[in-house]
């Protein structure tokens, strides 16, 4: 009864106090502080709080809102309000934690606005004391608690309002921070200060609370915040961090550690979801975050040098041994669980902290919000090392923020490499020059080292691969006082290699080792070893090989680490071939395999791990590495053939037996069978690469190695094409390549062994993956090897490809077969065999209609190669009439129809179809003209194909699988408008196709123009769908030449326009072509290069345009078109200057040619220029332009 009576009394006192307060404020209001002191704050605080528990929530909320608004508005008229405001903040804080308030959007806005005014009042005071900061902390804690309790009620707009308030409070405290350390300009650096208690810990407690709340808001709804809120947050961080960095304020003390933890954690949450550019802030953030890399390690005893003594520094990669390990318990006290250790550490810290003696419990709980039991786990040492663990959290948070910056803006972050990575002496710990590598090498805590490794992995990925290509290593003795960016990057890459290889040799933690291998793999892929020390790449390979041979002591992670190490070695063997690496491996193999097997070596190590069938994962990775060796160092494969062939044969026998012993139902879901399938496939790919290396495969063979136009201006623009499927041989001249083809080739014996011993085991394998890899092997054979094989082996290859292309049910196998058919069909002797070509055409015809696009692409590619092979055959052998001409006619008809149908497919298929049509248009003979008297003829008079006897009388086309090519088409081509359909297809492809399609159209038109049976002057009469407004083929070429942004297309278009030999061949388009070429040449210098990749083709474009314009101008005198002559008169001044430039460049060329001893190209250029100038003279004479004639005559005068 007594308790009930006291409760009723307390409720009555509450209501009386607030009713009186409302009445008094409505009448003549007295002083607010006195009124509140007499009505609200005079009673005992605890009794007033207990009364709220018995009141309705809406009543308590209404009264508190009235109170806080009244107090907040009073600050405009009263001055000495600190006690009143402090009591109000404490009352609201305690009530909000005791009673669930009824908060909605409107009441939240009023409360937020009033509390903001109260906090502004305290922060605006000139003199900052703990008594002023404590109410601010209570307000922040109140808001934080209310947000947590009413999270589901709050909308996004409510959270945004709170974020703005928190940002406002942080910004208001900026001047307080400046004034706090205004007299610290001459104090020592924070590293020298060590542990020093700040003069005003309450300030940092407020900062800690603010950033803690801000981080929670971003963690909860940050992804939905608008960009302006995110940018405002970044600006607040930038302003504060610039100030702290300028003062070098990194203090190793518990209160400051809490502030750093909340600051860095909040920054991490903000950077995780970037909503705008941070390029202008990256450098400032990095400068501040870098100060924390050695936080807590500056006392001297914790930062132990991981390197050994100076006696170990005998090579580029000294054999240092890490001495820094995870902290261990050195006392003999009983084991204490983590949660008890945390409790004891908190008690100890509270006893040491002066500020915490007067702080309330709720402030301590909020300041420690970022701690958790996991932070003090068993792996982080004993109770005595709790302080070190706390500091390690700061270091980890700073490194994580660095990683966030790199991920948010990787391009801008590249400028910070010199700040974060060492340029010298990476194995020497220096506390004043902390880098990510120093953290990785010397930090005593695994979490910090793992964070450093993760950040380095992110830095090495992305744009680093591109911008590191400018790196160039120079010896320190050659470096001056100023170090260029390329030299700095070269030094950084060298130090990264030294540090990472040292760690890989000595690190004992399995998780960190996995990250180290990942970093090294990225580093190897990004390093331009040709600009680094010659022995760097060999030492990387030897270090990895040594680590693989030494193995790893971890039973659980041994396989994973071996796989990671071998994958890293594969990357090192896959970079641009190195002469030093080749010599190193050659020395290993020099004694022979029997002697070399007793020693260690890179290739021997890989061969040894390939035979570990008990561990399929390691075996697979070792095979990948062997494939990389075969691709990059093909000259070594002949020596290794015996061992590789034996290993592959072993895999094939065991893999085939394993698959054959089980039914398909038993294999379903069986991991062992799947791994076995992967190993068999990988071994076949090694075999394929090895055969290509031994055979000298360099890609699809060009049958005549011809140049489209033998122009002296373009003869020096020979572009070498790198074929990714071909091994990386050294540079080879064209003469050497031809001589090599004529000599007895290597690889015949190896291919014969493969066909007779290995192929029967895999071509009909149950696994489609294995069959596809086996058929792909045939795509790497060379013509010299193919035709030195026995007739039986040649037939085996052809029949295997035909069977796989026509009868295999798996698309990947058919695709591989079509690819191989396209390679074999390019062999010169293959084009002479009508039987082989006929079978190939039939197989390709089946697959170009396949519903799977991955099959149609290689099938269309093979079709274009077959057409090219036919074109070269017709060029080599004069056409003769034969009894098989009807069959030949059907063959051409079939190829044209197939190619025309494919021009309506996707771009990748379309480009091959256009190339096929261009090859056919080059040699098909047309017997009639498309126009008579410049008018289209009737349907029976369209161009037709004459009886083309492409093969000699010995043609064997009637032997296609026991019968001839069946066709329902008539024997005569005169009923088909093939030439017009080709032109229609070309124009359509230019309009709808991509860059590659457009380039092939230009090339195909060049081939069409070279056909002597086509009267080019009638090409303008051909219109798409009989539409008189359709552009001519010449108009299409001019359009591409003028408007295309791709320089390769413009080069090919200009080359095609130079093919017609006379002005009559250009037809009525000749004036437009001459004017268009002149316009392009005149404005070439003002053309903008949209893509950087086009820059390397600019010179080639200039030379091709010069050659084409000279050719066209040399024909201008034969034209009677008056507007063209008037145009040439108008452009006489430009043409005169242009010819002078050409003559002057000709003089420079002749001076260079004298040293070489050959000026035939210069004479040819001079002849072309003189011919064009003479044509211009004739044009100007016919128009009575005597003065211009005299100027041009002076150009050719000796």
């Amino acid at each position: 009864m007594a308790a009930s009576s006291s409760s009723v009394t307390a409720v009555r006192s509450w209501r009386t106090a607030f009713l009186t307060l409302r009445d008094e404020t409505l009448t003549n209001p007295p002083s607010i502080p006195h009124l509140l002191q007499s009505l609200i704050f005079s009673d005992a605080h605890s009794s007033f709080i207990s009364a709220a528990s018995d009141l309705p929530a809406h009543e308590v909320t209404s009264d508190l809102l009235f109170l806080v608004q009244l107090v907040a508005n009073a600050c405009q008229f009263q001055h000495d309000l600190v006690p009143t405001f402090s009591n109000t903040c404490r009352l609201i804080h305690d009530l909000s934690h005791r009673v669930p308030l009824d908060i909605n959007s409107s009441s939240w806005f009023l409360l937020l606005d009033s509390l903001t005014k109260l906090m502004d009042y305290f922060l605006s005071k000139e003199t900052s004391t703990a008594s002023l900061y404590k109410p601010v902390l209570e307000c922040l804690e109140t808001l934080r608690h209310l947000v947590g309790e009413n999270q589901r009620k709050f909308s996004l707009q409510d959270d945004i309002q709170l974020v703005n308030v928190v940002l406002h409070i942080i910004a208001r405290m900026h001047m307080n921070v400046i004034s706090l350390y205004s007299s610290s300009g001459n104090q020592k650096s924070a590293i020298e200060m060590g542990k020093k208690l700040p003069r005003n810990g309450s300030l940092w407690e407020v900062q800690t609370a603010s950033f803690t709340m801000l981080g929670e808001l971003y963690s909860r709804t940050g992804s939905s915040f608008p960009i302006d809120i995110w940018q405002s947050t970044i600006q607040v961080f930038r302003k504060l961090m610039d100030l702290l960095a300028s003062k070098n304020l990194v203090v190793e003390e518990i209160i400051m550690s809490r502030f750093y933890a909340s600051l860095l954690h909040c920054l991490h949450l903000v950077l995780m979801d970037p909503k705008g550019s941070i390029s202008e802030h990256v450098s400032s953030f990095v400068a501040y975050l870098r100060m924390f890399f050695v936080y807590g390690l500056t006392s001297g005893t914790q930062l132990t040098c991981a390197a050994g003594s100076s006696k170990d520094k005998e090579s580029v990669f000294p054999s240092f041994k890490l001495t820094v390990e995870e902290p261990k318990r050195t006392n003999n006290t009983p084991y204490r669980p983590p949660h008890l250790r945390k409790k004891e550490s908190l008690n100890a810290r509270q006893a040491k902290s002066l500020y915490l003696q007067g702080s309330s419990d709720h402030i301590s709980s909020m300041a420690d919000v970022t701690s958790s039991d996991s932070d003090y786990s068993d792996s982080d040492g004993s109770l005595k090392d709790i302080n070190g663990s706390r500091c390690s959290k700061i270091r980890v948070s700073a490194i994580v923020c660095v990683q966030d910056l790199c991920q948010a803006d990787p391009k801008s972050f590249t400028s910070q490499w010199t700040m974060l990575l060492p340029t010298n002496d990476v194995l020497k710990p220096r506390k004043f020059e902390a880098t990510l590598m120093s953290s990785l090498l010397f930090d005593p805590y695994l979490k910090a080292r793992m964070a450093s490794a993760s950040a380095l992995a992110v830095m090495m990925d992305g744009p680093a691969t591109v911008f590191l290509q400018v790196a160039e290593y120079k010896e320190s003795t050659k470096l001056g006082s100023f170090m260029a960016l390329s030299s700095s990057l070269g030094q950084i890459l060298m130090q990264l290699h030294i540090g990472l290889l040292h760690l890989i040799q000595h690190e004992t933690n399995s998780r960190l080792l996995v990250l180290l291998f990942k970093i090294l793999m990225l580093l190897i892929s990004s390093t331009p070893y040709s600009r680094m020390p010659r022995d760097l790449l060999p030492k990387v390979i030897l270090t990895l090989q040594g680590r693989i041979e030494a193995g790893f002591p971890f039973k659980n992670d041994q396989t994973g680490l071996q796989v990671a190490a071998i994958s890293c070695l594969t990357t090192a063997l896959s970079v641009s071939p190195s002469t030093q690496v080749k010599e190193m491996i050659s020395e290993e193999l020099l004694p022979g395999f029997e002697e070399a097997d007793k020693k260690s070596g890179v290739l021997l190590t890989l061969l040894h791990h390939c035979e570990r069938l008990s561990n399929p994962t390691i075996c697979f990775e070792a095979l990948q590495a062997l494939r990389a060796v075969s691709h990059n160092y093909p000259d070594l494969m002949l020596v290794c053939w015996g061992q590789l062939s034996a290993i592959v044969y072993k895999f094939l026998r065991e893999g085939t037996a394993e698959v054959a012993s089980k039914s398909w139902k038993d294999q379903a879901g069986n991991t062992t069978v799947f791994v076995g399938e992967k190993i068999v496939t990988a071994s076949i790919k090694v075999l394929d690469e090895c055969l290509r290396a031994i055979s000298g495969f360099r890609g699809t063979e060009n049958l005549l190695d011809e140049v489209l136009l033998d122009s002296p201006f373009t003869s020096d623009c020979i572009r070498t094409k790198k074929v990714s499927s071909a091994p990386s041989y050294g540079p080879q001249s064209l003469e050497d390549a031809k001589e090599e083809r004529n000599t007895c080739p290597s690889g015949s014996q190896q291919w014969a062994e493969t066909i007779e011993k290995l192929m029967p085991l895999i071509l009909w394998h149950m696994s489609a993956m294995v069959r596809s890899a086996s058929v792909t092997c045939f795509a790497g054979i060379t013509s010299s090897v193919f035709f030195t094989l026995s007739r039986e082996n040649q037939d085996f290859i052809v029949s295997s490809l035909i069977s796989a292309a026509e009868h295999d049910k798996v698309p990947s196998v058919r695709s591989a077969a079509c690819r191989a058919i396209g390679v074999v069909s390019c062999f010169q002797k293959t084009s002479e065999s009508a039987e082989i070509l006929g079978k190939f055409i039939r197989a390709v015809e089946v697959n170009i209609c396949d519903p799977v696009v991955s099959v149609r692409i290689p099938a269309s590619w093979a079709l274009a190669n077959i057409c090219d092979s036919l074109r070269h055959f017709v060029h080599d052998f004069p056409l003769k009439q034969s009894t098989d001409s009807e069959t030949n006619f059907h063959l051409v008809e079939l190829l044209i129809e197939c190619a025309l149908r494919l021009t309506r497919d996707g771009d990748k298929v379309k480009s091959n179809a256009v190339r096929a049509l261009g090859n056919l248009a080059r040699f098909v003979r047309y017997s009639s003209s498309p126009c008579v008297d410049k008018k289209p003829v009737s349907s029976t008079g369209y161009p037709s194909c004459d009886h083309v006897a492409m093969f000699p009388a010995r043609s064997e086309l009637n032997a296609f699988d026991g019968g001839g090519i069946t066709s329902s088409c008539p024997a005569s081509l005169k009923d088909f408008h093939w030439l017009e359909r080709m032109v229609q297809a070309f124009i359509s492809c230019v309009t709808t196709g991509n860059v590659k399609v457009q380039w092939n159209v230009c090339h195909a038109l060049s081939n069409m123009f070279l056909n002597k049976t086509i009267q080019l002057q009638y090409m303008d009469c051909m219109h798409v769908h009989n539409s008189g407004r359709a552009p001519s083929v010449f108009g299409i070429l001019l359009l591409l030449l003028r408007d295309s942004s791709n320089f390769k297309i413009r080069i090919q278009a200009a080359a095609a326009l130079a093919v017609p030999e006379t002005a009559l061949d250009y037809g009525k388009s000749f004036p437009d072509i001459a004017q268009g070429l002149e316009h392009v040449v005149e404005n070439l210098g003002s053309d903008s290069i949209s893509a950087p990749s086009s820059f390397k083709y600019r010179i080639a474009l200039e030379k091709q345009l010069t050659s084409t314009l000279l050719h066209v101008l040399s024909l201008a005198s034969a034209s009677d078109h008056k507007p063209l002559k008037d145009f040439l008169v108008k452009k006489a001044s430009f043409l005169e200057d242009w010819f002078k430039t050409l003559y002057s460049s000709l003089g420079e060329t002749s001076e260079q040619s004298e040293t070489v001893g050959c000026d035939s190209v210069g004479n040819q250029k001079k002849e072309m220029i003189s011919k064009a100038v003479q044509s211009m003279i004739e044009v100007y004479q016919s128009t009575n332009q005597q003065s211009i004639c005299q100027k041009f005559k002076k150009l050719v005068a000796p």
Side-chain angles (χ1 to χ4, degrees), residues 869-1085:
S869 181
L870 290 174
R871 176 174 69 86
H872 286 292
F873 177 79
V874 172
H875 182 275
D876 291 339
F877 295 90
L879 301 183
K880 299 178 182 179
Q881 296 291 338
S882 70
T883 57
D884 296 298
S885 60
E886 184 70 18
T887 306
N888 298 339
F889 157 75
H890 285 299
L891 175 63
V892 176
E893 178 187 23
L894 175 64
L895 293 174
I896 294 178
E897 288 297 336
C898 289
L900 286 172
R901 183 168 65 252
L902 290 177
T903 56
R904 297 187 292 271
D905 209 319
D907 285 339
K908 291 186 177 180
V909 176
K910 190 182 299 183
S911 62
N912 291 321
V914 169
R915 185 164 65 92
L917 288 176
N919 291 327
L920 292 170
R922 174 76 176 271
F923 70 86
V924 173
R925 289 189 170 186
Y926 298 91
S927 60
S928 62
S929 301
C931 297
V932 177
D933 296 330
K934 298 182 181 181
K935 296 180 180 179
V937 299
S938 62
S939 60
T940 58
Y942 274 91
S944 62
C945 184
D946 203 352
H947 293 289
V948 182
M950 295 187 306
F951 304 102
R954 56 183 171 84
S955 173
E956 301 171 350
L957 277 175
N958 55 359
F960 288 0
D961 295 332
I965 296 181
T966 59
S967 177
S968 59
C969 299
S972 174
L973 299 182
K974 293 184 179 181
D975 295 333
F976 292 88
H977 317 318
W978 280 0
L979 182 59
E980 183 182 16
R981 293 174 64 192
M982 283 185 183
V983 173
Q984 291 176 4
F986 292 153
I987 295 176
S988 174
C989 289
V990 165
T991 306
T992 61
N994 60 9
V995 171
K996 188 174 182 180
V997 174
Q998 293 176 354
W999 187 94
N1000 277 293
V1001 168
C1002 296
H1003 190 273
L1005 289 175
S1006 300
N1007 279 329
M1008 179 179 288
F1009 295 162
L1010 289 170
N1011 192 325
K1012 302 299 182 181
T1013 63
I1014 300 177
Q1015 300 180 36
L1016 298 181
Q1017 63 269 28
Y1018 297 126
M1019 296 292 287
D1020 290 327
C1021 298
M1022 297 182 183
H1023 305 301
V1024 181
H1025 303 303
N1026 296 324
S1027 173
R1029 296 186 179 182
S1032 68
V1033 291
F1034 295 115
I1036 287 294
L1037 292 174
L1038 273 177
L1039 184 67
L1040 292 174
L1041 177 62
R1042 185 189 63 193
D1043 298 335
S1044 177
S1045 60
N1046 188 281
F1047 279 20
K1048 294 170 66 176
I1049 293 178
R1050 299 177 70 182
I1051 292 171
Q1052 194 60 41
L1057 288 173
V1059 174
E1061 298 179 352
T1062 65
L1064 181 62
D1065 289 338
Y1066 288 99
K1068 65 180 183 180
S1069 297
F1070 182 75
D1072 295 334
I1073 292 173
Q1075 296 180 44
L1077 284 170
E1078 189 281 335
H1079 177 77
V1080 172
V1081 172
E1082 184 177 5
N1083 296 278
L1084 184 61

Side-chain angles (χ1 to χ4, degrees), residues 69-339:
Q69 285 182 277
L70 179 66
V71 174
N73 294 330
C75 65
Q76 306 177 40
F77 311 103
Q78 306 289 340
H79 297 286
D80 188 16
L81 295 175
V82 172
T84 302
F85 282 14
S86 299
N87 291 331
T88 303
C89 293
R90 186 180 180 188
L91 177 64
I92 295 176
H93 172 271
D94 293 344
L95 283 174
S96 64
H97 282 72
R98 181 69 63 88
V99 180
L101 301 181
D102 186 13
I103 299 295
N104 52 37
S105 295
S106 59
S107 59
W108 172 252
F109 175 77
L110 295 175
L111 180 63
L112 198 60
D113 180 66
S114 300
L115 291 181
T116 303
K117 293 179 180 179
L118 294 181
M119 290 186 286
D120 281 342
Y121 175 82
F122 289 111
L123 295 177
S124 63
K125 295 296 183 180
E126 296 181 359
T127 304
S128 300
T129 61
S131 61
L132 294 178
Y133 286 120
K134 184 178 179 180
V136 178
L137 277 172
E138 291 174 334
C139 289
L140 292 174
E141 177 64 14
T142 299
L143 293 175
R144 177 169 174 259
H145 178 76
L146 291 176
V147 170
E149 291 293 324
N150 301 274
Q151 182 176 345
R152 296 182 179 180
K153 297 181 181 180
F154 282 7
S155 63
L156 176 62
Q157 190 60 36
D158 296 331
D159 286 339
I160 292 176
Q161 291 176 0
L162 183 56
V163 169
N164 286 324
V165 169
V166 176
L167 293 177
H168 171 74
I169 297 301
I170 297 174
R172 283 298 303 264
M173 287 190 292
H174 187 71
M175 293 305 300
N176 300 63
V177 177
I178 295 177
S179 61
L180 179 63
Y181 287 92
S182 59
S183 60
S184 303
N186 297 324
Q187 66 181 356
K188 296 181 180 180
S189 66
I191 294 179
E192 296 176 351
M193 289 167 59
K195 295 183 179 180
K196 178 182 177 181
L197 184 68
R199 288 177 293 171
N200 199 333
S202 300
L203 168 65
W204 302 112
E205 292 286 357
V206 175
Q207 293 274 26
T208 301
S210 301
F211 282 108
T212 299
M213 189 186 307
L214 185 62
E216 291 175 349
L217 290 169
Y218 266 91
S219 177
R220 185 168 60 248
T221 54
S223 60
S224 303
F225 288 166
I227 186 173
D228 59 324
I229 295 295
W230 184 86
Q231 290 175 339
S232 299
T233 307
I234 291 293
Q235 289 291 344
V236 168
F237 273 105
R238 169 69 183 275
K239 191 174 182 180
L240 177 61
M241 296 174 76
D242 280 348
L243 173 62
L244 298 179
S246 64
K247 301 296 182 181
N248 207 5
L249 299 182
V250 178
V251 181
E252 298 174 9
E253 196 276 331
I254 185 170
I255 297 177
M256 296 301 295
S257 295
R258 291 172 174 174
F259 163 67
Y260 297 145
S262 63
L263 173 71
L264 297 176
H265 180 65
C266 183
L267 179 61
H268 164 64
L269 295 174
V270 173
L271 292 176
M272 280 180 59
D273 184 19
K275 300 181 183 297
S277 174
I278 60 170
S279 57
E280 61 183 82
H281 308 293
V282 169
S283 58
S284 296
F285 286 166
V286 169
Y288 183 64
L289 294 172
R290 184 169 173 261
M291 298 167 62
F292 292 99
F293 286 1
V294 291
Y295 185 78
L297 301 178
T298 57
S299 58
T301 57
Q302 298 188 54
L303 189 60
T304 306
C305 181
S309 63
S310 59
K311 295 180 181 179
D312 296 330
K313 304 175 184 179
E314 297 178 357
S315 62
V316 178
F317 304 122
S319 301
F320 292 109
K321 184 176 181 180
L322 287 177
T323 59
V324 177
E325 299 180 356
E326 290 300 300
K328 298 180 180 180
R329 291 188 291 120
T330 57
N331 58 340
N332 297 322
T333 58
Y335 172 78
R336 303 285 292 171
H339 67 282

